[in-house]
């Protein structure tokens, strides 16, 4: 996965097998950052059902679920969820990259591409995200894409048996994107 090209595309049901393989292999690595999932989540069938739900949300205009591709291989996901139109015009950004593809700039490039989709294709004007206080790598990705922190939510998410604080991030999509080095 040392390929420096990164692209995003809408997730497909046939991505379930590779996503399940990544999630099962990286289960312990992500346990510190994400809420616990049932065992079914780490199976092809579980991912297929999850992807079908994501695509149903997409058809309703509530979500934009994509995969991150490097070297022709799916290496992660990036999703715009909680899309609010009208007076809010915003969406919530979430992403992950398989451990084998981390540290190569794929998340930074995928987030940048997703921001363009949010502005151009979804017509949104604001992107939001959350990171755990300790997740410096994810904070780097957001900062490299022009996000600014705007607050801390105390005891915001239950992860690994404890309520954890998170930083709230924002990016106004009509601002010029920063020049990124990743």
């Amino acid at each position: 996965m040392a390929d420096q090209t990164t692209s995003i595309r809408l997730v497909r049901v046939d991505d379930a097998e590779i996503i399940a393989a990544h999630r099962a292999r990286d289960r312990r690595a992500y346990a510190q950052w994400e809420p616990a999932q049932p065992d079914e989540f780490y199976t092809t069938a579980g991912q297929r059902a999850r992807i079908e739900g994501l695509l149903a949300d997409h058809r309703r205009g509530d979500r934009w679920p994509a995969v991150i591709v490097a070297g022709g291989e799916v290496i992660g996901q990036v999703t715009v969820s909680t899309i609010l139109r009208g007076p809010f015009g915003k969406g919530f950004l979430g992403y992950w990259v398989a451990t084998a593809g981390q540290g190569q700039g794929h998340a930074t490039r995928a987030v940048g591409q997703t921001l363009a989709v949010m502005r151009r294709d979804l017509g949104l004007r604001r992107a939001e995200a959350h990171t755990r206080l300790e997740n410096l790598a994810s904070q780097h990705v957001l900062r490299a894409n022009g996000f600014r922190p705007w607050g801390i939510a105390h005891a915001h998410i239950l992860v690994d048996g404890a309520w954890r604080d998170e930083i709230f991030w924002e990016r106004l999509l009509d601002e010029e994107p920063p020049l990124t080095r990743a």
Side-chain angles (χ1 to χ4, degrees), residues 8 93 107-117 119 141 145 171:
I8 58 173
L93 184 67
T108 300
R109 289 188 292 274
V111 165
Q113 293 169 24
T114 304
L115 294 174
V117 168
R119 181 177 50 252
V141 167
N145 279 287
R171 164 76 197 275

Side-chain angles (χ1 to χ4, degrees), residues 166-180:
E166 288 194 310
I167 300 172
F168 282 26
W169 297 83
E170 66 182 353
R171 164 76 197 275
L172 299 179
L173 298 173
D174 53 0
E175 295 176 343
E176 270 304 306
L179 298 174
T180 60

